[in-house]
């Protein structure tokens, strides 16, 4: 009852005219950046960080959450109409969605994507209401050793498990941790990695780092690979669904939600895995398996539901533990830190009005997104015709203006350029972006918990595993790191992958032949967004 009462108070705050306006602005911006390939919610939030200095914290968070959810919605539009995923999590949607569009069913594909996203987002937010307080109660009982272990788990899972190249993942993480160490040592007061440059004594501002990595790095990458031929979009009327479409879509929506939320809440987070599992499940359960690969509506409904449910799941560890599982959540966490708010379990106790207003706004934002996306789908399709040079020139202008407005220092512009070149180099050599950003955000927090652990144990290393939770987490880390090595050794020793190994690698849900078949259907022209670029591969 207490949770329900707090949620009602959150609705009372979120339904004020000013917060409704920011929610509307957020979902419109989010949908727009989701539609445009390569411009993810993380870049949009990073660009708006300087603007939010003078805003109310709750209003800014409501707008950021709207951008996040809207980006998940908008990514499906470009996947369906252009066969070019605006987000890496919508790659699976493009498989069936674009085939439906080519068959003259673009309206139905957009409709099932929008309604499925609404259903999954609403259910996922309700699960967030139920599970977040439980996670908080558990987290409050943890000590510094357990917190440090959980942060190490988050860094390692995102870096080593989801990426195709562990070396590249750990290289990106190392760069992020190094950037996070720049500045004054919090204990001894000694300067670290400043090279005698006075503006670095206070450390690198997270706004400058985020804007440089996402906006500058992406703009430079696009400029290096710009294509002069404009993309052709498929015309679409107002989305609608017939009786048969509803019948074939509602079960995939629910199953996709069941996949998406728990995966989003995991430290390794992300929507790529649940969307793929949802696609495979719908293919196995469908009464029309022959349509898969030729425009099956279940192949759009299920993955899109999983995509948006994972967005709600991602906010659970961010709010309850102070651990972001993707780049957008990391930038939102940086905003809280910038505002002097300590993220973590005590956030629910110290800032209950802020947290529950944000959660209530997610229900409101989801409804706004449905009302906006259904009638305005043709308008979003026209955004795809904006010339890339104009688009990224504007991004560079606002990125530079935003970074300079943080401290009004010319040195920030030089740092913006240098880190932007680093962001371009990451893309050029296939290093994933997310480990670097998490290293910058979580690195200083992990260092603080590490030092507390050593202080409590009088410098004894054994203090790091002095709590049962810490021991359990370290065992999980060891399993995550060793199991892939063992499976690789077994495959090599047997002269090829066995059916057992393939089943283990995919959770026992799809054979290796089926996996190859599905991957061969993925669009070759699609370009992943930088936000969820976890695969560590070069972009085309």
């Amino acid at each position: 009852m207490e949770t329900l009462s707090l949620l009602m108070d959150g609705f009372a705050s979120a339904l004020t005219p000013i917060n409704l306006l920011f929610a509307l602005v957020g979902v419109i911006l989010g949908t727009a950046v989701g539609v445009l390939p390569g411009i993810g919610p993380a870049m949009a939030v990073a660009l708006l960080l300087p603007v939010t200095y003078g805003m109310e914290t709750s209003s800014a968070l409501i707008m950021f959450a709207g951008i996040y959810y809207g980006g998940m919605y908008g990514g499906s539009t470009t996947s369906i109409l252009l066969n070019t995923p605006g987000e890496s999590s919508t790659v699976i949607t493009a498989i069936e969605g674009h085939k439906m569009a080519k068959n003259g069913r673009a309206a139905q594909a957009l409709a099932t994507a929008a309604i499925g996203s609404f259903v999954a987002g609403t259910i996922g937010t309700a699960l967030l209401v139920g599970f977040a307080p439980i996670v908080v109660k558990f987290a409050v009982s943890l000590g510094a050793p357990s917190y440090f272990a959980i942060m190490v788990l988050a860094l390692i899972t995102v870096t080593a498990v989801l990426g195709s190249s562990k070396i590249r993942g750990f290289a990106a993480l190392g760069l992020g941790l190094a950037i996070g160490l720049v500045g004054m040592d919090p204990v001894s007061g000694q300067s670290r990695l400043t090279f005698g440059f006075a503006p670095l004594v206070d450390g690198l501002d997270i706004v400058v780092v985020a804007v440089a990595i996402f906006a500058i790095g992406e703009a430079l990458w696009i400029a290096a690979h710009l294509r002069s031929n404009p993309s052709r979009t498929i015309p679409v009327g107002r989305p609608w669904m017939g009786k048969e479409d509803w019948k074939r879509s509602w079960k995939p929506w629910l199953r996709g939600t069941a996949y998406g939320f728990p995966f989003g809440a995991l430290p390794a987070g992300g929507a790529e895995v649940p969307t793929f599992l949802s696609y495979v499940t719908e293919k196995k359960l469908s009464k029309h398996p022959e349509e898969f690969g030729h425009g099956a509506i279940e192949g759009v409904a299920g993955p899109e539901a999983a995509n948006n449910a994972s967005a709600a799941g991602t906010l659970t560890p961010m709010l309850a533990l102070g651990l972001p599982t993707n780049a957008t959540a990391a930038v939102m966490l940086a905003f809280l830190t910038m505002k002097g708010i300590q993220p973590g379990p005590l956030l629910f106790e110290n800032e209950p009005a802020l947290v529950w207003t944000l959660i209530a706004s997610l229900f409101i934002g989801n409804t706004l997104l449905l009302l906006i996306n259904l009638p305005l789908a043709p308008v979003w399709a026209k955004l795809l015709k904006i010339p890339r040079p104009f688009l990224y020139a504007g991004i560079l202008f606002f990125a530079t203006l935003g970074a300079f407005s943080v401290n009004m220092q010319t040195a920030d512009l030089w740092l913006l350029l240098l880190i932007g070149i680093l962001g371009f180099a990451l893309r050029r050599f296939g290093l994933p972006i997310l480990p670097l950003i998490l290293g910058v955000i979580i690195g200083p927090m992990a260092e603080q918990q590490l030092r507390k652990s050593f202080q409590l144990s009088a410098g004894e290393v054994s203090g790091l595993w002095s709590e049962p939770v810490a021991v359990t987490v370290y065992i999980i880390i060891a399993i995550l790191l060793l199991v892939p090595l063992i499976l690789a050794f077994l495959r090599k020793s047997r002269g090829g992958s066995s059916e057992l190994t393939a089943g283990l690698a995919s959770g026992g849900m799809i054979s290796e032949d089926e996996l190859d078949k599905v991957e061969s259907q993925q669009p070759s022209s699609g370009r992943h967004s930088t936000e969820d670029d976890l695969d560590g591969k070069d972009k085309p």
Side-chain angles (χ1 to χ4, degrees):
M1 291 301 294
E2 181 183 0
T3 299
L4 186 59
S5 175
L6 290 169
L7 182 61
M8 291 299 103
D9 292 339
F11 271 109
S13 177
L15 288 171
T16 58
I18 186 66
N19 283 339
L20 279 176
L21 175 62
F22 279 114
L24 181 63
V25 170
V27 297
I28 292 175
L29 282 176
T31 306
V33 300
V35 166
L36 295 169
I39 306 179
M43 183 191 293
V45 173
L47 285 172
L48 288 172
L49 277 180
V51 182
T52 58
Y53 271 117
M55 289 175 55
E56 286 287 334
T57 305
S58 58
S59 299
L61 274 180
I62 287 172
M63 183 173 66
F64 289 160
I67 291 172
Y68 183 31
Y69 267 32
M72 296 296 180
Y73 270 76
S76 62
T77 301
T78 181
S79 294
I80 292 169
L81 299 181
L82 265 188
N83 199 29
T84 304
E87 302 290 330
S88 60
S89 53
T90 57
V91 169
I92 299 298
T93 303
I95 297 176
E96 302 298 332
H98 189 62
K99 294 288 177 61
M100 288 184 66
K102 292 176 69 175
N103 294 337
R105 285 171 51 81
Q108 289 81 358
L110 289 170
T112 192
I115 297 172
S117 297
F118 168 76
V119 171
T122 303
I123 295 175
T125 307
L127 292 174
L128 170 64
V129 172
F131 282 100
I134 297 174
V135 176
V136 167
K137 290 179 181 178
F138 168 72
V140 170
S141 64
L142 300 179
S146 297
Y147 269 116
F148 176 72
I150 292 173
M151 289 177 182
V152 172
L153 174 65
L155 292 173
I156 287 181
T157 49
V158 170
T159 302
V161 176
L162 294 183
S164 61
S165 172
K166 294 180 177 60
I167 295 177
R168 291 177 177 179
F170 279 110
L173 176 62
L175 288 171
L177 293 174
I179 293 173
L181 289 175
V182 172
M184 187 179 295
D185 187 297
V187 176
S188 66
Q190 296 293 317
S191 296
R192 302 186 301 195
L193 301 176
T194 60
F195 305 102
F197 189 46
L200 292 180
V201 172
D202 293 330
L204 289 170
D205 196 292
I206 185 59
V207 175
V208 176
V209 175
V211 171
I213 290 294
F214 289 113
I216 305 297
E218 182 72 7
L220 292 176
W221 177 259
I222 293 298
H225 297 79
L226 198 59
R227 299 292 185 267
S228 57
N229 295 329
S231 301
R232 295 183 179 179
T233 57
I234 297 174
V236 56
R238 178 169 297 185
W240 62 276
M241 292 174 63
K243 183 178 179 181
E244 180 66 17
D245 295 325
W246 280 93
K247 184 179 178 181
R248 294 178 57 178
S249 294
W250 72 271
K251 288 182 180 178
W253 290 338
L254 298 179
R255 285 191 289 261
T257 304
Y259 276 125
F261 183 83
F263 271 94
L266 290 173
E272 291 83 358
V273 174
T275 53
F276 177 76
L277 291 177
S278 174
Y279 180 86
V280 173
T281 301
E282 297 311 322
K283 185 176 181 180
K284 287 184 176 294
L285 297 179
S286 176
K287 295 180 180 179
H288 308 276
E290 71 283 353
E291 292 186 15
F292 277 78
H294 304 283
I297 194 169
E298 296 93 337
V300 178
E304 273 303 299
N307 182 19
N308 280 266
S310 71
T314 295
L315 295 178
T316 303
M318 190 198 84
L319 293 175
L321 299 175
L323 290 176
T325 60
N326 63 27
T328 307
V331 179
M332 292 172 67
L333 199 68
F335 168 76
L336 290 175
T337 305
M338 183 180 74
K339 285 286 189 176
I341 297 173
Q342 181 63 41
L346 295 179
L347 184 64
F348 278 76
E349 182 179 334
N350 297 335
E351 302 284 347
L354 174 66
V355 173
W356 290 104
T357 299
L358 172 62
I359 294 175
S361 74
L362 298 178
F363 288 102
I364 298 170
N366 242 329
T367 305
L368 290 175
L369 279 166
L370 182 66
L371 297 177
I372 289 172
N373 274 268
L374 285 178
L376 295 184
V379 177
W380 300 131
K382 291 181 181 179
L383 285 178
L384 297 168
K385 299 180 180 180
I386 297 177
R388 292 286 179 86
F390 297 160
L391 185 64
Y392 283 92
I395 288 174
L396 284 174
F397 172 76
F398 286 109
T400 305
L401 184 64
F404 181 73
S405 66
V406 174
N407 300 311
M408 296 295 180
Q409 294 180 354
T410 308
D412 285 340
L413 296 181
W414 288 107
L415 292 173
L416 183 76
L417 177 60
L418 290 175
I419 300 174
I421 293 173
L422 173 63
F424 172 80
L426 291 174
R427 292 163 174 82
R428 170 62 183 84
F429 296 105
L431 272 69
I433 302 297
L434 183 55
L436 183 143
I437 291 296
L438 292 187
V440 175
I441 302 292
I442 299 182
M445 298 165 56
E447 180 192 12
Q448 183 181 13
Q449 298 300 333
L450 176 64
R451 294 199 174 199
K452 282 184 180 179
S453 300
F454 280 133
Q455 289 171 351
L456 293 172
S457 64
E460 293 292 332
V461 179
S462 58
L464 294 178
W465 49 82
S466 59
E467 297 181 359
V469 173
V471 174
T472 304
V473 172
Y474 285 129
I475 292 174
I476 294 173
I477 292 173
I479 292 173
L480 289 174
L481 292 177
L482 292 176
V483 166
L485 295 176
I486 295 172
L487 292 177
F489 175 77
L490 291 176
R491 284 196 296 266
K492 187 176 180 180
S493 63
R494 294 176 183 177
S497 57
S498 64
E499 291 183 4
L500 175 61
T501 306
L504 288 172
S506 60
M509 297 203 58
I510 181 172
S511 68
E512 190 173 352
D513 291 339
E514 289 175 303
L515 177 61
D516 292 338
K517 184 177 179 182
V518 172
E519 288 180 341
S520 67
Q521 297 178 41
Q522 292 191 7
S524 59
S525 61
R527 187 173 54 75
H528 294 194
S529 165
T530 58
E531 179 196 15
D532 295 312
D533 189 12
L534 304 179
D535 57 5
K537 297 179 181 177
D538 288 346
K539 295 181 182 180

